[in-house]
Amino acid sequence: MYTRLRDVFSLKRRESERRSSKKAAQAQAYKQLSRWTKDVDLFTKDFVFVPINESLHWTLVLIYKPGLWIERQRAASAFPEPVCVDGASLDKAASAQSSDKAASAQSNGQQPRIFYLDSLGGSKDEAFEILKTYLGLEYEHKHKTIEAPAEQHSVHGEPQLQSAATERFDQLKAAEVEVPHQNNGYDCGLYMLKFIHLIAEHQPDFSDEETPRWASHPEIGFRRGEITELRRRMAKDIREMARLRVP
């Protein structure tokens, strides 16, 4: 997913420098990717995992509570209320309920953020930028938000609505999580899978830490030996699968 996002957005960014605005080019690029989540609303999820593979190295981006971030921005009037394209207004009771949920989450200390986890200790500012752009376009597409007056761009003759979401996601805080490090050049994929498994199972909250640390959450702690055992089990499974005869 991430590699496709990077390639498509980079291509459209280069095209935009020659013939159209950056916003319009990004909207056109998003159209190539929108089918990925046609049956899923990412903004209802607490955790969105984005595996990244670049230069033969696996890392992970974790998007934490993107829907809550939207509700907080809307409560602060940074977002317009969702409006149907035909002009029908959002149900006021639903809007009030969303604001109540955002206020409750804020009192519980939950802070929507984007995290980067790398078992070699690297950073990935480009990934943050690309995924924030994607989130804005995804929200715009799913919830059909428009501003008054709506800003429109044209790409190949097609009007493209641009909402505040596209610009406002750049304010979503991002951070690198201090995670356990691999001690070789080939276990990165296993560490990434271990991160996903433990976060999904225990749902730790890194959001209230200025510098998020894996070690601050003992419920997700693991030994390096567990990675070694996981590698052995996967190698065994691969060997057994290779012996299977497909009719």
Side-chain angles (χ1 to χ4, degrees):
M1 172 183 175
Y2 171 76
T3 301
R4 179 63 175 156
L5 280 172
R6 182 201 61 200
D7 292 347
V8 169
F9 282 161
S10 296
L11 172 62
K12 292 300 179 181
R13 184 165 58 245
R14 291 195 296 272
E15 292 178 356
S16 73
E17 293 172 353
R18 295 194 299 269
R19 59 177 175 77
S20 62
S21 75
K22 180 178 179 180
K23 293 178 183 178
Q26 288 174 341
Q28 183 67 14
Y30 172 78
K31 289 180 65 177
Q32 301 180 32
L33 313 172
S34 59
R35 67 182 183 275
W36 293 352
T37 57
K38 65 178 182 178
D39 298 321
V40 177
D41 187 350
L42 297 180
F43 302 97
T44 65
K45 309 300 180 183
D46 288 341
F47 298 91
V48 179
F49 299 100
V50 185
I52 295 176
N53 182 269
E54 288 187 309
S55 303
L56 301 178
H57 181 53
W58 284 101
T59 60
L60 177 68
V61 169
L62 171 65
I63 305 171
Y64 180 63
K65 293 186 178 293
L68 176 58
W69 186 86
I70 289 172
E71 298 303 340
R72 288 189 180 176
Q73 295 298 305
R74 186 177 298 133
S77 300
F79 268 67
E81 293 289 353
V83 177
C84 294
V85 174
D86 62 6
S89 297
L90 179 72
D91 181 80
K92 295 299 183 182
S95 177
Q97 184 179 18
S98 295
S99 297
D100 290 344
K101 287 170 60 180
S104 175
Q106 187 163 9
S107 66
N108 291 334
Q110 297 172 347
Q111 301 292 333
R113 294 174 75 178
I114 299 184
F115 300 103
Y116 183 64
L117 296 82
D118 183 353
S119 56
L120 287 180
S123 60
K124 187 71 69 173
D125 290 341
E126 181 190 37
F128 291 147
E129 178 184 354
I130 289 173
L131 288 169
K132 288 176 183 181
T133 299
Y134 172 77
L135 285 172
L137 293 166
E138 175 75 0
Y139 178 77
E140 181 175 85
H141 175 76
K142 280 291 197 315
H143 297 275
K144 308 298 183 187
T145 58
I146 61 176
E147 290 181 284
E151 180 185 359
Q152 293 194 12
H153 303 277
S154 177
V155 181
H156 303 309
E158 297 185 20
Q160 303 292 327
L161 289 176
Q162 295 296 325
S163 77
T166 309
E167 291 77 29
R168 298 289 185 173
F169 264 93
D170 60 7
Q171 298 178 14
L172 183 59
K173 290 185 177 181
E176 287 88 26
V177 180
E178 294 184 4
V179 297
H181 286 185
Q182 63 191 87
N183 64 345
N184 55 42
Y186 47 80
D187 275 343
C188 53
L190 298 176
Y191 273 81
M192 182 200 69
L193 292 173
K194 193 71 170 178
F195 296 155
I196 293 174
H197 170 74
L198 291 172
I199 291 172
E201 181 176 7
H202 298 285
Q203 301 186 15
D205 184 1
F206 298 114
S207 67
D208 60 349
E209 303 174 49
E210 187 65 29
T211 303
R213 294 180 175 84
W214 191 270
S216 299
H217 303 270
E219 72 277 12
I220 57 174
F222 64 92
R223 296 174 290 103
R224 187 170 290 162
E226 295 179 46
I227 298 295
T228 302
E229 180 58 28
L230 178 59
R231 185 186 336 113
R232 290 172 178 168
R233 289 204 312 268
M234 291 182 68
K236 179 181 177 182
D237 291 342
I238 291 171
R239 288 194 298 269
E240 291 178 352
M241 291 174 63
R243 289 197 293 266
L244 295 176
R245 293 185 177 182
V246 180

